[in-house]
Amino acid sequence: MNRLPRIPDPGPDDWAALLSEWGEPRFRAGQVFRWVAGRGVLDPQAMSDLSRDSRRGLSETFDTSEPDLTWSRDPGSETEKVLVRFADGDAVEAVLIMEGTRTTTCLSTQVGCPVGCRFCASGLLGLRRNLSRGEILDQFIVIRRRAAELGRRISNVVMMGMGEPLLNYEATLGALDVLNHPEGGGIGARHLTVSTIGLRKGIERLREEGRQYTLAISLHAPDDETRRRIVPFAGAMRVAELADAARAWLDGTGREVTFEYVLLEGVNAAPQHARQLASLLEGVQGTVNLI
């Protein structure tokens, strides 16, 4: 099925190139980018400082519809979830987490997930497709609106919803770059996190490109045998390689890695696992987040 791209798909440079083809002045690109990425306005007819021709061109070129949303709230918590359904029927979930003054959103990068972590329901779907940059940003736009209704501002974004972000590298990093842009999401790089099971090429590319985004590695076990039971994905690095990757990350970026570790009783939460974890990460400057 042929689909129009989502209107948040273009970044600042893309808008400049596209609108120049339409014969629009250069400043128009900044106007459109601020409307879409900065204010979350998807309807071109509401972009009051654009020409009539610009609004018509945007409406004809892009899918400007609002996604269908289903909100839910975890009982007894300050966490809200939203199911974002796109025009083709595919849906992903995003999360709004409110803790004190900190407001975090977790965004999905794929419809379904190919990794199949044993504790995660996303893997039950398998992988349907990658999300576009615009579909990732759609989630942020609706979450940001909800946060504003609650009198809050998004302070942190984690690519940690459905999917493995580094298997959808271009769209994921493109979305982060928009969220980091001062006229887009306006969120500092160190408050933007990529959470991955540990894919060598993706981590190395992210390090070599010199972005200052935070890297979180879903470790979940201190040894390869246990980790394969929890994260049965052939492309994941071995635990010793992940420790080495964290050292290389610090050397290359000056940033520490966060290791995510979901405690599963009878699987990876015994005293010997703690000792193995301490041994594995000896000399690694980073943080272990026990979940």
Side-chain angles (χ1 to χ4, degrees):
M1 182 176 82
N2 292 326
R3 295 183 296 141
L4 291 175
R6 293 290 298 161
I7 196 168
D9 270 320
D13 295 337
D14 303 314
W15 280 121
L18 174 63
L19 293 174
S20 69
E21 294 178 2
W22 295 0
E24 293 283 359
R26 186 172 183 82
F27 69 84
R28 192 75 75 202
Q31 290 177 311
V32 177
F33 180 73
R34 286 189 293 273
W35 277 112
V36 177
R39 304 176 193 175
V41 174
L42 304 183
D43 180 7
Q45 302 311 313
M47 301 176 188
S48 56
D49 57 356
L50 269 60
S51 69
R52 183 181 303 174
D53 288 344
S54 294
R55 296 196 298 268
R56 183 174 61 249
L58 292 173
S59 296
E60 293 174 350
T61 304
F62 294 98
D63 175 6
T64 64
S65 63
E66 292 280 347
D68 182 61
L69 308 177
T70 303
W71 288 91
S72 61
R73 190 180 186 105
D74 285 353
S77 78
E78 292 297 310
T79 298
E80 296 192 8
K81 298 178 182 178
V82 60
L83 186 72
V84 181
R85 189 174 300 279
F86 301 106
D88 64 356
D90 283 334
V92 296
E93 190 174 71
V95 182
L96 174 64
I97 304 169
M98 295 165 281
E99 300 174 308
T101 60
R102 181 186 176 103
T103 306
T104 300
T105 180
C106 297
L107 306 180
S108 295
T109 55
Q110 297 178 305
V111 181
C113 183
V115 175
C117 296
R118 298 305 186 196
F119 57 84
C120 181
S122 298
L124 299 176
L125 301 174
L127 176 64
R128 285 183 55 83
R129 66 175 176 86
N130 286 333
L131 294 178
S132 71
R133 171 167 55 184
E135 290 169 327
I136 297 171
L137 292 172
D138 274 323
Q139 300 166 68
F140 175 79
I141 287 169
V142 300
I143 288 280
R144 180 173 57 185
R145 287 179 191 164
R146 178 57 180 156
E149 291 172 0
L150 298 171
R152 305 182 73 102
R153 181 184 183 278
I154 301 298
S155 58
N156 298 78
V157 176
V158 186
M159 297 299 181
M160 194 183 182
M162 296 169 64
E164 162 54 52
L166 294 184
L167 289 176
N168 188 16
Y169 188 95
E170 298 292 346
T172 296
L173 271 294
L176 285 172
D177 290 345
V178 170
L179 296 177
N180 181 228
H181 195 285
E183 294 184 331
I187 300 173
R190 297 191 176 207
H191 297 276
L192 300 170
T193 299
V194 178
S195 178
T196 174
I197 59 163
L199 303 181
R200 183 188 305 279
K201 289 184 179 179
I203 291 175
E204 289 178 350
R205 180 178 175 185
L206 191 58
R207 185 188 73 235
E208 290 166 0
E209 289 178 355
R211 288 174 166 93
Q212 284 293 297
Y213 302 138
T214 296
L215 177 65
I217 296 176
S218 296
L219 183 59
H220 304 318
D223 64 278
D224 291 315
E225 181 179 355
T226 304
R227 190 167 194 260
R228 278 193 295 268
R229 291 169 56 196
I230 301 171
V231 186
F233 187 71
M237 297 163 70
R238 297 169 67 88
V239 296
E241 294 172 329
L242 292 173
D244 289 339
R247 296 184 183 95
W249 181 264
L250 179 65
D251 290 342
T253 67
R255 305 292 314 285
E256 294 183 2
V257 167
T258 296
F259 291 97
E260 308 286 357
Y261 195 108
V262 172
L263 293 167
L264 303 170
E265 187 175 359
V267 179
N268 67 350
Q272 70 265 24
H273 294 119
R275 290 190 289 269
Q276 286 177 295
L277 183 62
S279 177
L280 172 69
L281 299 181
E282 184 176 2
V284 176
Q285 187 174 327
T287 302
V288 177
N289 182 23
L290 298 177
I291 304 170

